[in-house]
Amino acid sequence: MSDRRFTAAAAVLTGLLVLGPAATADAHGDTIHLTVTGVAAGHPTTKATWEDDGHPVNEKVAGTLTATSADGTTLGPWRFVPVPGQPGTFTTTEALPAGDWTITAQTAFPALGRTESRTEVTAASLTRATGTPAGPPAPSRAPSATPAAAEAPASASASDGGRGPGTVTLVVTALALTTVGISAAFWLRRRRSHHA
């Protein structure tokens, strides 16, 4: 009788391990909503939120941006670069030259997303107050007392992708542990039946 309870407990634990991470992964939905929010010194800025709940995408994002001018000149694809201290906000290392541009932003991971937006980059916006050409936006290191700034370090560590296990890793680990647990249960049952 204790073998059946052990097997039942192992099955319930397995279900919780497998379904728990999967339910968490699907909590936001399966589509990313992208919005091109502007251009700072020639660098397009894109905001990524989950379509279902509007939360910022804090996971590592594989996304690109292309820009097409009115005369058909195409720049990119340029890789998304996270903006420090702004969860779910991305820019590019490359800057657009002056002109009218149709910007297309796309993501492939952790979910699909796509948007297209028209913007104008002026020569004046490409020059900083000092009169020198603008480079990529510098990360802001100024301390702030706002709650959003207090949450930024946690969001930044979640978006860099290399510090914690991902959903796939958790599911694979849970399945491996389940397989080992069930195999051990059957082995113990078989061993006890031979000794009895």
Side-chain angles (χ1 to χ4, degrees):
M1 188 57 113
S2 64
D3 287 337
R4 287 185 184 170
R5 281 188 239 163
F6 176 76
T7 304
V12 169
L13 181 60
T14 300
L16 290 174
L17 287 172
V18 171
L19 295 177
T24 303
D26 291 334
H28 292 296
D30 59 358
T31 305
I32 293 176
H33 176 77
L34 296 170
T35 306
V36 177
T37 58
V39 178
H43 300 273
T45 305
T46 306
K47 181 80 173 170
T49 57
W50 290 103
E51 186 77 39
D52 289 356
D53 60 16
H55 292 152
V57 179
N58 292 329
E59 293 83 0
K60 186 172 184 176
V61 172
T64 59
L65 185 137
T66 57
T68 306
S69 68
D71 69 1
T73 302
T74 300
L75 300 176
W78 295 335
R79 215 170 39 89
F80 276 2
V81 177
V83 175
Q86 297 182 30
T89 304
F90 301 90
T91 188
T92 61
T93 304
E94 301 82 2
L96 291 171
D100 290 318
W101 296 95
T102 299
I103 297 174
T104 304
Q106 301 182 89
T107 59
F109 180 83
L112 296 177
R114 185 178 193 282
T115 192
E116 194 170 280
S117 177
R118 294 184 55 95
T119 190
E120 179 183 1
V121 178
T122 63
S125 70
L126 296 175
T127 305
R128 295 191 182 173
T130 61
T132 60
S140 173
R141 299 217 194 286
S144 175
T146 63
E151 293 172 4
S155 299
S157 66
S159 66
D160 71 8
R163 295 189 182 167
T167 302
V168 173
T169 304
L170 292 174
V171 170
V172 169
T173 302
L175 289 174
L177 289 173
T178 301
T179 303
V180 169
I182 291 174
S183 297
F186 282 119
W187 179 76
L188 285 173
R189 184 175 180 187
R190 184 180 269 168
R191 185 174 172 214
R192 287 183 184 162
S193 66
H194 286 295
H195 289 287

